[in-house]
Amino acid sequence: MPRVSAAQLFDDTRDKLKLAWSAGRAAPDSGLDSDLINRSGQGLIGHLNIIHPNWIQVLSSTEIRYLAELDTAARGHVLDVLGASELTCLIVSDAEAVPAFIAELAERRPVPVLSTPLSSIQVMWILRPYLARALAEFTEIHGVLLDVLDVGVMITGHSGVGKSELALELISRGHGLIADDVVEVFRIAPNIIEGRCPPVLKDFLEVRGLGMLNIRTIFGETAIRIKKNLKLIVELQRASAEQMTGLERLPLRPDKATVLGVPVRKVILPVAAGRNLAVLTEAAVRNFVLELRGIDSTQEFVRRQEAYMSGSEDTP
């Protein structure tokens, strides 16, 4: 499962948050584990909370002042609760100096204490999306991920069915490449799947007979996308003449595939001589966008036919 250590969090966000490591340098390599977080009742990040302690506690000037005004016994109780929780690190915001009692906790616990001149709200604005991506469940899918008409489209199918050739045709028509062959997909929210390219494959598309093509070099910067939310899967299937004849003409229920527990709309395109798969893929994307807007062409056609047969209304 994905894991982010306190040291990694510090390195990845140091420039954005202007972080300094103020105390707890001797702390072990504590970190955030996605599996453990999902099984825990603790919050991920937030202002000081001892009822439901956060994994990352943010102490602004308000929390520092509150702790400083407590009597010794009450403050000791709060610090004991913090120390006993599954605390990954403390972040002191608002350019506040780290109080002696927090530095003492950091050495006793031990736990890293980071400080920043930014406000606590800014800290959480930056860290929440960072943590959502860094701790997201992920897997790898064999296929090609493209940005087609601003929709993340995954082209899948057996090896040699023509995925890369279709991708190349779509790129030549102005659409963008995210990843070829191996696509890393992350569940960054309950119903959002994000696709990215492994660093070693970035910008490259393999086409049989041509080898590796650097799409950025050939088509320019606008032909490449860094990441895209996966919305539609187009599965290519080889089909004989008999299979083409037997295909369902009016599928009343849309196909779906499940990726990391999230249902994703799927379209199956039979591959046969004379079929323009690039045009069909663009049409599938446009139809999908219409469905998102509540316009279902198949259901509209069925309703029109039913109305015509019942004689309840005239057809256009």
Side-chain angles (χ1 to χ4, degrees), residues 217-236:
T217 301
I218 296 173
F219 293 95
E221 295 289 336
T222 58
I224 295 294
R225 310 287 190 274
I226 301 300
K227 57 191 176 184
K228 198 71 182 176
N229 291 345
L230 175 60
K231 296 293 186 180
L232 180 66
I233 295 174
V234 174
E235 181 178 332
L236 303 183

Side-chain angles (χ1 to χ4, degrees), residues 160-207:
V161 76
K163 298 185 295 295
S164 295
E165 289 82 354
L166 173 56
L168 185 60
E169 173 68 17
L170 288 168
I171 293 167
S172 71
R173 295 167 72 93
H175 306 297
L177 173 71
I178 293 97
D180 173 48
D181 192 37
V182 177
V183 182
E184 295 179 338
V185 292
F186 298 79
R187 184 177 180 178
I188 62 172
N191 293 307
I192 299 178
I193 299 294
E194 182 181 270
R196 311 175 201 167
C197 182
V200 71
L201 299 177
K202 183 180 178 183
D203 299 344
F204 286 101
L205 178 74
E206 181 192 3
V207 180

Side-chain angles (χ1 to χ4, degrees), residues 13-241:
T13 62
R14 174 168 45 188
D15 293 336
K16 284 186 177 180
L17 295 177
K18 301 179 176 59
L19 288 176
W21 198 306
S22 300
R25 292 185 176 275
D29 190 20
S30 60
L32 299 163
D33 183 279
S34 177
D35 184 52
L36 190 57
I37 288 172
N38 290 334
R39 291 188 283 108
S40 169
Q42 292 191 192
L44 182 57
I45 181 173
H47 289 110
L48 176 66
N49 189 331
I50 61 171
I51 305 300
H52 295 286
N54 300 302
W55 288 79
I56 300 176
Q57 298 270 16
V58 180
L59 305 180
S60 69
S61 55
T62 302
E63 285 76 32
I64 295 294
R65 185 168 59 252
Y66 164 76
L67 290 173
E69 291 175 354
L70 292 176
D71 60 54
T72 303
R75 184 167 59 242
H77 171 69
V78 172
L79 297 178
D80 287 342
V81 171
L82 286 181
S85 67
E86 295 177 288
L87 185 61
T88 296
C89 70
L90 287 162
I91 300 179
V92 177
S93 64
D94 300 330
E96 287 284 335
V98 176
F101 51 82
I102 293 297
E104 181 184 351
L105 171 66
E107 303 305 324
R108 175 165 49 89
R109 166 72 161 75
V111 61
V113 175
L114 312 179
S115 57
T116 172
L118 274 61
S119 71
S120 58
I121 297 300
Q122 288 178 297
V123 169
M124 288 184 280
W125 279 347
I126 293 171
L127 283 185
R128 280 190 176 127
Y130 163 79
L131 293 170
R133 284 174 167 77
L135 295 171
E137 296 178 66
F138 71 93
T139 188
E140 294 179 345
I141 297 178
H142 177 64
V144 186
L145 182 60
L146 297 161
D147 175 358
V148 180
L149 301 171
D150 205 32
V151 174
V153 179
M154 177 84 74
I155 301 174
T156 64
H158 293 298
S159 180
V161 76
K163 298 185 295 295
S164 295
E165 289 82 354
L166 173 56
L168 185 60
E169 173 68 17
L170 288 168
I171 293 167
S172 71
R173 295 167 72 93
H175 306 297
L177 173 71
I178 293 97
D180 173 48
D181 192 37
V182 177
V183 182
E184 295 179 338
V185 292
F186 298 79
R187 184 177 180 178
I188 62 172
N191 293 307
I192 299 178
I193 299 294
E194 182 181 270
R196 311 175 201 167
C197 182
V200 71
L201 299 177
K202 183 180 178 183
D203 299 344
F204 286 101
L205 178 74
E206 181 192 3
V207 180
R208 281 179 169 81
L210 296 179
M212 300 300 295
L213 302 179
N214 189 316
I215 298 301
R216 188 187 298 270
T217 301
I218 296 173
F219 293 95
E221 295 289 336
T222 58
I224 295 294
R225 310 287 190 274
I226 301 300
K227 57 191 176 184
K228 198 71 182 176
N229 291 345
L230 175 60
K231 296 293 186 180
L232 180 66
I233 295 174
V234 174
E235 181 178 332
L236 303 183
Q237 290 186 356
R238 290 191 180 92
S240 63

